[in-house]
Amino acid sequence: MKRTYQETHHRSLADPEGFWGEAAEAVHWTKRWDKVLDDSDAPFYRWFTGGETNVCYNALDMHVAQGRGAQTALIYDSPVTGACEKITYAELTARTARFAGALAAQGVGRGDRVIIYMPMVPEAVIAMLACARIGAVHSVVFGGFASNELAVRIDDAKPVAVVAASCGIEPGRVVEYKPLLDRAIELAEHRPRVCVILQRPQARAEMIDGRDVDWHEAAAAAEDAECAPVAATDPLYILYTSGTTGAPKGVVRDTGGGIVALKWSMQNIYNAAPGEVYWAASDVGWVVGHSYIVYAPLFNGSATVLFEGKPVGTPDPGAFWRVISEHRVKVLFTAPTAFRAIKKEDPRGEYLKKHDISCLQSLFLAGERTDPDTLAWAKEKLGVPVIDHWWQTETGWAICSNCLGIEALPVRDGSPTKPAPGWQLEALDANGKPAARGDIGALVAKLPLPPGTFPTLWNARERHFDSYLKNFPGYYETGDAGYIDEDGYVFVMSRTDDVINVAGHRLSTGAIEEVLASHPDVAECAVMGVRDELKGELPLGCLVLNAGVSREHAGIVSEAVQLVREKIGPVAAFKLAAVVARLPKTRSGKILRGTMKKIADGEEWKMPATIDDPAILEEITGALRELGYPPKNGGQKK
Ligand code: COA
Ligand code: AMP
């Protein structure tokens, strides 16, 4: 008999070893685990210790061995190049085995790191799976990051090899990746031994003799590599994400727990069966791309869509509906910002009428809170359940969701529903005590976290402890604030740190401040996330100049904008900055970013009792108004 959500969730917490041990039976192991949950190093936990398996085998070879080789594994749909390709499980296995052989021939082995800097092309997926096949640890860097960010990741991960493409394609422009990579390697202290370059016809990369090798030549000369069994606790990948300081955190995903949780989630959360088409419209550079473009759908034997395009402009706001209809997509997963972009260009849904999307059964949204307008629009236009679910790079899969494969619960607007199995959540007050139902607190999850979540940060165990485990002993601190209502529905309201969310991309305002502060004319600065109708939030910087700087402010602002683009990358979307005489601070010197944000967002704000000079806020209000903030009606002082 099918269990209810309540029963399933209860069992997952009462008997985690039984629950996840059972889920692990669906995975192929070359050696069975000794222990499902290893708590010998608490508060750091490990799953399936003693077990051995291989991610690539579970994603590809296993399906071929079970007779599904002719089934579609990957659908590459690229409106920016006009390409559309369907790759079967057998073909994807063959291409991956060959590229794994090419990496091995370049000296890449178990535990070695490989940085992948590629756009949304099948070779990006093949490179990830090829690393997993030989037990190497990949670290994918999103193409919208600039050389400096890439260099920071090269120095932290110390890769033996980099796999990159000659270019990515953004609407209206070709982004040459190779010069960015060359510059990053120049900036970095660590030197990768080899760079494997995929030449795309839109831009040919200049190769550096003795270091760079051509993807196709390397593959043609190589032999196929077999899947190497690795420990369940071995890292599958490192994915860097924004933290509170400029230095990104290297989130590690382990092998065994990762396979078990992701495979389980496909049927239990998304209700997606093997053979069906599943589409996560994200990018392989983000955690959503790792988990739900690449690994989970392939573990599940689904067909996954790799879409190299945008929700609008490639060529129109009907792009998503075309892909759904042409490839018979059953489940779509994207960020609310994509739907806001479509809604803005086609509010009445005219483009929907041109496509038959009756195959679509559900839409899942994550990356930021789904605003009620977008939720209502999507529900009305698509006529399918629209599920907001909450997760993070660290967790690798949903903390809270409406688990459609277990039991569809009634949707509550503004809530990602209830904790997924394996998750026990609390909202804690500043004293670490449970907040009253409905009161906002720090959202924390009781340890141990379920399998598939991060066991550690790369080479930064202490930072892991300090960032997530120290403030609330016995819990994982999510960094999000929110509340839990009387019926157990969770509401995620804001971050408790300086992370902001721009078009579903996670950015650190601290990292942007570090770049701005490096401008020779800038004495100090403050960056905050201001509300934006399309992207959710946009970074806005207030700059205080060094004494004696008499240059035109406009020139300094445009240099500052350019500097962030060069140092962090276009993905930071940093275009708003104002020169101000001073920053508002408390008497102890803390910058009042929260109050400035309220003014910019047009929210009610109170004069902080601890402010050192109230007149500064009047100046800031004027400077923000000149930038067009708040967009309407002005900020109101209480
Ligand atoms: N390589 C190089 N540059 C990139 C890039 C990549 N892979 N991805 C984005 N950029 C650039 C963009 O071209 C843009 O540059 P510009 O300042 O010259 O215009 C800049 O980075 C900002 O990109 P983005 O925030 O994506 O804005 P956009 O205006 O291009 O598109 C949306 C807006 C809403 C359509 C887009 O963000 C989107 O599709 N979001 C979907 C959500 C998503 O994928 N979320 C990921 C987590 S689920
Ligand atoms: P990332 O690590 O890039 O996936 O970003 C994770 C952060 O995005 C979370 O900590 C939240 O702040 C935010 N987030 C993701 N999904 C949701 C959601 N459904 N509701 C509210 N915030 C979300």
Side-chain angles (χ1 to χ4, degrees):
M1 204 184 69
K2 208 164 180 268
R3 289 198 171 95
T4 62
Y5 159 77
Q6 189 81 25
E7 289 162 350
T8 311
H9 185 251
H10 179 265
R11 178 163 174 253
S12 73
L13 299 184
D15 177 20
E17 298 207 57
F19 187 89
W20 294 111
E22 204 172 276
E25 297 294 349
V27 169
H28 176 273
W29 300 87
T30 40
K31 178 174 174 289
R32 207 177 156 80
W33 57 88
D34 299 325
K35 237 177 149 354
V36 174
L37 173 63
D38 180 348
D39 59 3
S40 58
D41 189 28
F44 302 95
Y45 295 85
R46 296 186 311 161
W47 289 92
F48 304 106
T49 41
E52 284 182 6
T53 181
N54 182 280
V55 159
C56 187
Y57 188 87
N58 277 279
L60 299 178
D61 305 59
M62 190 180 77
H63 302 302
V64 179
Q66 291 174 353
R68 290 201 296 277
Q71 189 198 299
T72 301
L74 188 77
I75 302 169
Y76 168 52
D77 186 305
S78 169
V80 294
T81 61
C84 192
E85 191 186 349
K86 286 192 176 169
I87 306 175
T88 63
Y89 270 97
E91 200 189 335
L92 195 58
T93 307
R95 286 170 68 177
T96 302
R98 180 54 68 91
F99 190 66
L103 287 178
Q106 295 298 331
V108 179
R110 181 173 169 186
D112 287 338
R113 273 80 59 211
V114 175
I115 281 197
I116 300 175
Y117 187 53
M118 295 187 100
M120 291 282 285
V121 291
E123 286 81 359
V125 178
I126 291 170
M128 291 165 78
L129 290 163
C131 288
R133 193 170 186 89
I134 56 175
V137 180
H138 63 69
S139 186
V140 182
V141 179
F142 177 62
F145 283 119
S147 300
N148 198 54
E149 289 289 318
L150 184 53
V152 168
R153 286 152 174 79
I154 289 174
D155 276 338
D156 196 68
K158 302 199 172 23
V160 170
V162 176
V163 182
S166 57
C167 67
I169 301 158
E170 283 294 286
R173 76 191 154 105
V174 170
V175 182
E176 292 201 32
Y177 281 18
K178 185 58 176 21
L180 294 171
L181 171 63
D182 291 344
R183 175 82 187 122
I185 293 175
E186 260 170 51
L187 289 172
E189 278 174 22
H190 173 81
R191 291 269 172 277
R193 266 203 314 264
V194 59
C195 295
V196 183
I197 307 295
L198 175 77
Q199 295 281 14
R200 301 188 78 188
Q202 293 78 9
R204 280 202 80 73
E206 291 244 354
M207 304 291 268
I208 294 180
D209 269 351
R211 189 197 73 188
D212 297 346
V213 300
D214 177 87
W215 172 296
H216 292 293
E217 286 171 15
E223 288 180 8
D224 294 351
E226 289 305 319
C227 293
V230 300
T233 50
D234 274 1
L236 164 64
Y237 68 77
I238 308 165
L239 180 58
Y240 289 89
T241 189
S242 300
T244 38
T245 65
K249 293 169 171 166
V251 170
V252 172
R253 189 83 48 224
D254 63 357
T255 297
I259 308 175
V260 171
L262 289 181
K263 184 162 183 160
W264 174 91
S265 74
M266 282 299 286
Q267 302 196 19
N268 288 282
I269 295 185
Y270 299 98
N271 198 22
E276 291 175 338
V277 182
Y278 181 95
W279 178 22
S282 177
D283 188 286
V284 287
W286 306 117
V287 67
V288 173
H290 282 63
S291 293
Y292 291 105
I293 296 176
V294 184
Y295 291 116
L298 297 178
F299 292 149
N300 194 44
S302 307
T304 183
V305 179
L306 185 76
F307 176 66
E308 192 182 22
K310 302 258 175 177
V312 294
T314 57
D316 57 43
F320 273 26
W321 321 139
R322 176 190 65 75
V323 172
I324 292 170
S325 129
E326 260 178 49
H327 305 304
R328 311 311 294 158
V329 172
K330 181 183 169 191
V331 181
L332 170 64
F333 175 176
T334 191
T337 187
F339 265 72
R340 287 198 297 271
I342 297 170
K343 177 170 146 242
K344 194 168 165 214
E345 289 204 8
D346 182 22
R348 293 217 301 272
E350 297 298 338
Y351 282 86
L352 253 172
K353 296 179 191 147
K354 302 179 187 181
H355 304 278
D356 166 19
I357 62 158
S358 55
C359 50
L360 187 71
Q361 290 191 9
S362 54
L363 166 67
F364 282 78
L365 297 171
E368 54 176 318
R369 183 165 184 260
T370 304
D371 54 286
D373 279 359
T374 305
L375 185 77
W377 187 85
K379 265 202 286 207
E380 189 221 311
K381 294 289 179 256
L382 303 183
V384 298
V386 178
I387 310 298
D388 178 10
H389 63 331
W390 168 48
W391 52 298
Q392 309 178 313
T393 306
E394 289 85 343
T395 69
W397 60 283
I399 308 167
C400 282
S401 184
N402 205 337
C403 299
L404 291 191
I406 299 173
E407 180 194 358
L409 297 175
V411 168
R412 270 190 202 171
D413 286 8
S415 166
T417 314
K418 297 191 181 185
W423 292 92
Q424 187 178 349
L425 290 188
E426 300 272 8
L428 298 183
D429 66 18
N431 301 316
K433 299 269 175 299
R437 289 276 154 148
D439 281 1
I440 290 193
L443 288 173
V444 297
K446 193 143 177 39
L447 297 173
L449 300 187
T453 55
F454 73 135
T456 190
L457 295 178
W458 183 251
N459 283 341
R461 188 177 151 101
E462 211 173 311
R463 190 176 182 195
H464 177 189
F465 182 79
D466 290 347
S467 308
Y468 304 103
L469 306 174
K470 192 165 94 182
N471 287 347
F472 301 104
Y475 294 96
Y476 162 71
E477 185 179 0
T478 63
D480 282 308
Y483 64 92
I484 304 174
D485 77 6
E486 293 295 339
D487 301 315
Y489 279 74
V490 177
F491 291 76
V492 184
M493 306 307 289
S494 62
R495 290 285 304 189
T496 54
D497 54 15
D498 71 355
V499 164
I500 59 170
N501 207 307
V502 179
H505 308 141
R506 176 167 157 182
L507 297 170
S508 154
T509 53
I512 301 175
E513 286 177 0
E514 274 178 34
V515 173
L516 294 174
S518 73
H519 187 286
D521 292 338
V522 173
E524 60 173 346
C525 60
V527 174
M528 59 204 155
V530 297
R531 201 178 297 142
D532 181 72
E533 227 179 78
L534 176 64
K535 296 195 178 183
E537 280 185 300
L538 279 178
L540 183 152
C542 291
L543 314 174
V544 178
L545 303 184
N546 286 315
V549 173
S550 56
R551 298 174 51 206
E552 282 245 11
H553 290 175
I556 297 171
V557 163
S558 85
E559 283 166 18
V561 166
Q562 193 51 33
L563 199 59
V564 173
R565 201 175 166 92
E566 263 169 42
K567 287 273 164 75
I568 297 181
V571 67
F574 181 76
K575 294 181 180 161
L576 297 167
V579 171
V580 296
R582 295 165 299 166
L583 293 173
K585 292 184 185 165
T586 61
R587 280 189 282 275
S588 60
K590 199 169 164 281
I591 299 174
L592 291 160
R593 291 182 182 78
T595 310
M596 291 198 284
K597 175 176 162 53
K598 282 194 173 145
I599 297 174
D601 287 346
E603 283 178 18
E604 275 199 355
W605 57 278
K606 265 198 277 191
M607 183 62 74
T610 53
I611 193 164
D612 63 348
D613 178 0
I616 299 179
L617 283 176
E618 299 298 329
E619 288 170 29
I620 295 284
T621 305
L624 291 172
R625 206 169 282 141
E626 271 181 39
L627 278 179
Y629 286 84
K632 287 179 226 139
N633 303 333
Q636 301 145 20
K637 192 169 113 189
K638 250 194 193 167

